Amino acid sequence: MKSYRKELLFNISGRRAFINITPQVTECLRESGIQEGFVLVNAMHITASVFINDDESGLHQDYEKWLEQLAPHEPISHYRHNRTGEDNGDAHLKRQVMGREVVVAITEGRLDFGPWEQIFYGEFDGGRRKRVLVKIIGE
Ligand code: ZN
């Protein structure tokens, strides 16, 4: 069995963003040389997500609005977590909703997606360097 590991780096200037990372994961898969197996992609930070959905800008605006309704950033004082001196209480909740990781099957050297599936990095507390782990196992 082969094993491959890589960290993708992000430094989002704004507070929130959704980035299609399918090209980077596809490049990792190519580098790994693995034809049959699984890839795990996970955010290594508790205020960021990795998820799979459609690369459609209207949907991403819908996510932004929906998440902001569920866990508005302001008022900061609304969150007990922010009593620690942080201002990212909302980002922890948004991350929980959008998820930590995805697993995708690899078949014949390709990501074995359903129709329209793409892998996204979701940032909810940007302005600093963050990492995403890509781990691939198989043969
Ligand atoms: Zn925090």
Side-chain angles (χ1 to χ4, degrees):
M1 187 191 78
K2 286 190 207 168
S3 170
Y4 171 97
R5 182 188 191 278
K6 189 167 191 177
E7 292 180 8
L8 306 178
L9 303 178
F10 298 90
N11 196 343
I12 307 298
S13 55
R15 185 170 285 276
R16 288 188 292 277
F18 297 123
I19 298 169
N20 188 337
I21 60 170
T22 311
Q24 290 99 310
V25 177
T26 301
E27 177 60 18
C28 290
L29 178 54
R30 193 194 62 74
E31 280 177 17
S32 77
I34 291 170
Q35 295 293 305
E36 298 290 327
F38 293 98
V39 56
L40 165 76
V41 187
N42 69 269
M44 299 179 82
H45 302 265
I46 52 181
T47 54
S49 289
V50 172
F51 63 95
I52 290 181
N53 218 298
D54 193 3
D55 193 0
E56 197 279 304
S57 64
L59 176 64
H60 297 176
Q61 290 169 45
D62 291 337
Y63 278 141
E64 169 65 16
K65 186 177 166 193
W66 178 62
L67 290 168
E68 200 56 23
Q69 284 168 350
L70 282 174
H73 177 64
E74 307 267 2
I76 303 291
S77 61
H78 180 70
Y79 298 94
R80 281 175 180 255
H81 177 65
N82 290 340
R83 292 181 193 173
T84 61
E86 292 190 89
D87 67 351
N88 64 3
D90 66 308
H92 289 275
L93 300 184
K94 286 165 173 146
R95 182 275 170 102
Q96 205 68 38
V97 169
M98 297 305 282
R100 171 183 181 265
E101 79 275 306
V102 300
V103 175
V104 181
I106 299 160
T107 305
E108 296 178 350
R110 292 171 170 262
L111 298 169
D112 202 343
F113 284 136
W116 306 108
E117 285 191 328
Q118 296 282 287
I119 305 170
F120 291 89
Y121 174 70
E123 177 62 77
F124 305 114
D125 185 28
R128 56 203 163 100
R129 194 167 164 275
K130 290 194 177 176
R131 296 173 294 153
V132 166
L133 177 64
V134 179
K135 181 83 182 188
I136 309 175
I137 56 169
E139 53 188 22

